[in-house]
Amino acid sequence: MTSQIDRELKVFITTMSRKHGRDISVFEESFLRNSVERRSDLLGVKQSEYLRYVEENREEAENFYHSLNITFTQFFRNSLTFALLEQYIIPRLINKKANRGAIRIWSAGCSCGQEPYSLAILLSELISAQEQAVTYRILATDSSQQALSIAKEGIYDKTGVNNVKVQFLEKYFTRKDEMYAVSSQIKQQITFSYYDLLDPFSNNPPESIYGDFDLVICSNLLFYYKPEIQQLIIDKLQKSLSYIGYLVTGEAETALIQKTSKLKMVQMPSTIFTNYSY
C-alpha cells in the first residue's frame, strides 16, 4: 500500500510541475503525503481520487501549493529562546554596537510577523533599559505574499497575543475592540519584503545589500524540505551572518544545524548558534 502511495505521489509531483508550473519536489515526501491527506479529507475524497482531481483542476492545484506555506507562528513562541536572547544575546549585541552602527537582524520566513515584532519589542525594551545610543533594523522576509500582507498590517486577535506580557500589550499595542494593533514605534523598525529562501542565486535578500546580519532567526521551517534543500538554506543563513553573528532555529532543527553546519550552540541546550569561537 505504501509503495502504491509513493508511486502516486511521484506522479503527482511531476503533474504539478509539468501541468501547473509548481515545483513541489523540494519538499520532504512525508510532508507532501500529509498535505495530500489534509486536502483530500477536506474535500471528502480518497487520496487516489484527489491526485487525479488535481491533475485536471488548476484552482485546486493552486490551493494545494499554497497550503504548503506553513504560516503558523506566535509572539515570543519559544520562551527559553527568548529568555536567552533577552539575558545574553541581545545585551552582547547592544554592547558591541554602542556608538558603532545599527544592530542588523534578519527574520527569514517571518510568516505573519509575530516573530520580528517580538524581537523589536525585546530590543526596544533592552536598549531603553541600558540607555545606550544604539539603533536596530529588522528585515523580515517570506515567500507568501498573503502572510506578508498580514504582517505589514500588524493587527492580531486576542488569541494571537496570548504570549505577550501585559506590560508589552499596554506599551506596544493599541486595542481596537477585540483586536490588537502593533504600535507605529515598533512597525517603523521593520521592513517586510518578499524573498524566496530557495533562490540558488542569492545569499541574502536584495534589501539587505550585503547581508552581514548580527542575528538571523529562521525557526521551524527547515524540516519541511529535503536534505539537499535544507543544506542550501543552512549555507545561505551561515553566509549572511556577520563576523560575530547568531542564528536562531526551532527546537526540532537543532540537531540538523549541529550536523550540517560549522556553527556552535551558545549554551546547552538551546536553539541559538554562533560562528564565534569563545
Side-chain angles (χ1 to χ4, degrees):
M1 182 64 178
T2 301
S3 60
Q4 174 65 22
I5 294 175
D6 288 343
R7 286 195 296 271
E8 291 176 343
L9 184 62
K10 289 178 181 178
V11 173
F12 180 65
I13 292 171
T14 301
T15 297
M16 286 289 290
S17 177
R18 291 182 179 175
K19 193 158 187 177
H20 302 299
R22 294 297 194 181
D23 181 12
I24 62 173
S25 64
V26 296
F27 292 100
E28 202 271 329
E29 290 190 0
S30 64
F31 172 58
L32 287 177
R33 283 195 294 271
N34 291 336
S35 299
V36 168
E37 183 177 355
R38 281 196 302 270
R39 291 300 302 176
S40 59
D41 287 347
L42 184 64
L43 295 177
V45 299
K46 295 179 180 179
Q47 289 187 44
S48 57
E49 294 174 358
Y50 176 78
L51 297 176
R52 289 192 293 270
Y53 174 67
V54 170
E55 183 174 0
E56 302 300 329
N57 191 301
R58 180 60 179 263
E59 182 179 358
E60 179 53 30
E62 288 298 299
N63 289 338
F64 177 81
Y65 181 76
H66 290 299
S67 76
L68 300 177
N69 291 317
I70 306 300
T71 57
F72 174 78
T73 187
Q74 295 174 311
F75 282 95
F76 302 96
R77 182 173 182 178
N78 186 315
S79 58
L80 292 177
T81 295
F82 274 93
L84 188 54
L85 286 170
E86 179 180 8
Q87 297 167 18
Y88 179 70
I89 303 300
I90 292 178
R92 283 182 64 90
L93 292 178
I94 291 173
N95 290 331
K96 172 187 173 184
K97 292 289 184 173
N99 301 310
R100 291 193 295 274
I103 298 172
R104 290 169 54 84
I105 298 173
W106 178 18
S107 174
C110 69
S111 188
C112 296
Q114 293 95 324
E115 182 178 86
Y117 285 134
S118 297
L119 289 169
I121 290 171
L122 198 54
L123 279 154
S124 295
E125 283 289 298
L126 293 174
I127 289 172
S128 176
Q130 293 192 26
E131 299 181 346
Q132 293 272 24
V134 177
T135 58
Y136 69 91
R137 291 297 303 172
I138 299 176
L139 176 59
T141 65
D142 203 275
S143 59
S144 168
Q145 293 288 6
Q146 182 179 11
L148 285 171
S149 295
I150 296 172
K152 290 175 183 178
E153 190 174 19
I155 299 176
Y156 305 92
D157 61 21
K158 187 175 181 179
T159 303
V161 296
N162 274 347
N163 286 352
V164 182
K165 295 178 181 178
V166 174
Q167 61 265 38
F168 290 170
L169 276 178
E170 294 176 349
K171 186 174 182 179
Y172 296 109
F173 292 80
T174 300
R175 184 171 179 175
K176 300 178 180 179
D177 297 324
E178 295 301 312
M179 306 299 285
Y180 294 81
V182 179
S183 70
S184 57
Q185 171 192 352
I186 291 298
K187 293 179 74 172
Q188 68 185 4
Q189 300 295 328
I190 306 171
T191 299
F192 289 100
S193 65
Y194 174 89
Y195 181 67
D196 187 356
L197 277 168
L198 275 58
D199 179 1
F201 303 108
S202 65
N203 288 325
N204 44 263
E207 287 84 354
S208 71
I209 304 177
Y210 52 83
D212 197 33
F213 291 103
D214 300 293
L215 177 66
V216 174
I217 182 165
C218 184
S219 301
N220 304 298
L221 180 148
L222 291 171
F223 48 71
Y224 294 116
Y225 295 101
K226 289 183 175 179
E228 61 270 26
I229 303 301
Q230 292 174 343
Q231 192 63 60
L232 182 151
I233 296 173
I234 291 170
D235 290 345
K236 181 175 297 192
L237 298 176
Q238 285 189 103
K239 291 176 182 177
S240 72
L241 292 174
S242 65
Y243 171 63
I244 302 177
Y246 299 92
L247 172 65
V248 181
T249 68
E251 288 182 283
E253 298 159 322
T254 55
L256 178 64
I257 298 297
Q258 288 177 306
K259 180 180 179 181
T260 61
S261 80
K262 297 179 181 179
L263 303 176
K264 299 177 179 62
M265 189 177 287
V266 297
Q267 180 176 305
M268 295 291 288
S270 76
T271 63
I272 305 178
F273 295 81
T274 184
N275 55 6
Y276 179 64
S277 298
Y278 292 96

